[in-house]
Amino acid sequence: MQPATASQPTVADRVPSPALSAEGLSLSFGGVKALQDVAMELRKSELLAVIGPNGAGKTSLLNCLTGFYRPQQGRVVLDGDKVISGLPTHKIARLGVSRTFQGTHLFTGMTVLDNIMIGRYSHMRTNLAQAFLYVPWTRREEVQHREFVEDIIDFLEITTVRKRVVGELGYGLRKRVDLARALAMEPSVLLMDEPMAGMNLEEKEDLARFILDVREARGIPIVIVEHDMAVVMDIADRIVVLDFGRKISEGTPAEVSGDPVVIKAYLGEAH
Ligand SMILES: Nc1ncnc2c1ncn2[C@@H]1O[C@H](COP(=O)(O)OP(=O)(O)OP(=O)(O)O)[C@@H](O)[C@H]1O
């Protein structure tokens, strides 16, 4: 076999590095093993769902990916070469990992627009004193951030409520504002923790459409933790299945839903 030369790319050169990957993650709380040697890969532009029965470790995995939990073993790598496990959450967010939460983490007394502007904070150069004195570049910077945010507001079709206080909005719209706030951070990957929980069918269909749009129109790869199997099977490109902290299956929706190991894990939950 010929050795690879500078003019002959190797297979590794041709395969794009994953947007985000986890290698050998283990995490325990006392005697509870929340994650055991879990590996996963989020490919560029894909929508990857993480599913599993209650207590399987889905939220723990998401928390390790975003730095909320620090795994005792393993590492998380962004864009093929940036090791982010061990970094504080705000640094991980600044590097482009953005998330939405179970429920929402919005300021209910503030307007939709102001909540989304908070998502721009990590991109602002202006400090508080400069903002107070309103120096000229502060004004220019604010205009640029406003334009960016208005574009997201249009994209998520929340223009009519942009000046409304978040506390007055229904749950479906709040979740859309939460998604807008996450997008305002200009993420390179987006992680969503149970976005459909507590929604009616119409709200679920709306949000599913916007999630697909984020992936398709903005090219942002997404990890979604979700209990609603109909939604997962409909929108996911691939699925990772956890049970008792271990990865028990991985593949396309068709592969995973036909996997006897997965069926057994879910039947075990029902009985
Ligand atoms: N902060 C914590 N302290 C102690 N135990 C925890 C903590 N977080 C998670 N666990 C435990 O780790 C295990 C995995 O929990 P995790 O919340 O990650 O599962 P999950 O798959 O997201 O569950 P669910 O679908 O019910 O939200 C569970 O046994 C849980 O009780």
Side-chain angles (χ1 to χ4, degrees):
M1 193 195 291
Q2 293 286 316
T5 64
S7 57
Q8 288 176 315
T10 62
V11 173
D13 289 333
R14 287 195 299 269
V15 177
S17 52
L20 185 70
S21 59
E23 301 163 7
L25 290 188
S26 293
L27 174 75
S28 299
F29 297 99
V32 178
K33 291 181 171 161
L35 295 173
Q36 298 183 67
D37 196 23
V38 172
M40 56 138 279
E41 220 177 73
L42 173 67
R43 298 172 190 160
K44 298 233 157 90
S45 302
E46 92 171 332
L47 204 161
L48 177 76
V50 178
I51 65 169
N54 287 322
K58 305 178 293 292
T59 300
S60 296
L61 175 59
L62 220 60
N63 283 339
C64 286
L65 297 177
T66 50
F68 279 80
Y69 289 166
R70 204 167 276 204
Q72 280 111 7
Q73 276 172 35
R75 59 181 205 157
V76 179
V77 181
L78 182 65
D79 215 13
D81 59 2
K82 294 181 207 100
V83 178
I84 58 170
S85 37
L87 295 179
T89 49
H90 68 276
K91 286 222 170 113
I92 294 177
R94 236 170 235 239
L95 285 169
V97 179
S98 184
R99 79 179 283 181
T100 65
F101 294 85
Q102 273 183 36
T104 59
H105 275 210
L106 298 169
F107 294 97
T108 50
M110 286 166 61
T111 65
V112 166
L113 187 60
D114 288 342
N115 267 282
I116 303 171
M117 281 298 279
I118 287 171
R120 289 302 293 162
Y121 175 73
S122 60
H123 290 273
M124 289 185 187
R125 288 180 299 126
T126 308
N127 64 37
L128 257 185
Q130 289 162 343
F132 184 69
L133 295 170
Y134 222 51
V135 289
W137 73 79
T138 314
R139 170 98 194 108
R140 273 199 305 277
E141 201 190 3
E142 192 185 324
V143 169
Q144 282 165 5
H145 288 302
R146 272 293 286 271
E147 279 170 8
F148 190 90
V149 163
E150 293 293 352
D151 178 53
I152 293 170
I153 287 176
D154 277 352
F155 177 70
L156 293 178
E157 297 172 18
I158 44 180
T159 316
T160 54
V161 294
R162 54 201 277 292
K163 290 279 167 69
R164 295 262 304 274
V165 169
V166 163
E168 295 171 357
L169 304 180
Y171 190 68
L173 271 175
R174 284 191 204 198
K175 290 299 290 186
R176 230 188 284 170
V177 177
D178 197 25
L179 175 57
R181 183 201 47 76
L183 290 181
M185 294 170 72
E186 273 181 85
S188 57
V189 301
L190 176 64
L191 312 182
M192 306 187 79
D193 196 1
E194 295 197 32
M196 308 288 173
M199 284 191 175
N200 63 35
L201 187 61
E202 196 187 341
E203 288 170 337
K204 283 182 188 178
E205 282 172 359
D206 274 352
L207 189 62
R209 175 168 64 89
F210 286 116
I211 292 171
L212 285 172
D213 281 352
V214 168
R215 198 269 309 264
E216 270 145 38
R218 307 218 150 205
I220 300 173
I222 301 172
V223 178
I224 177 173
V225 166
E226 184 50 58
H227 273 289
D228 188 317
M229 281 307 132
V231 170
V232 168
M233 295 298 159
D234 226 24
I235 68 173
D237 298 311
R238 283 192 314 123
I239 301 176
V240 162
V241 190
L242 299 180
D243 192 24
F244 293 111
R246 286 191 182 280
K247 183 167 78 178
I248 58 165
S249 186
E250 183 172 14
T252 62
E255 286 164 353
V256 159
S257 57
D259 185 341
V261 178
V262 176
I263 295 166
K264 191 166 165 236
Y266 274 92
L267 281 179
E269 189 187 39
H271 294 281

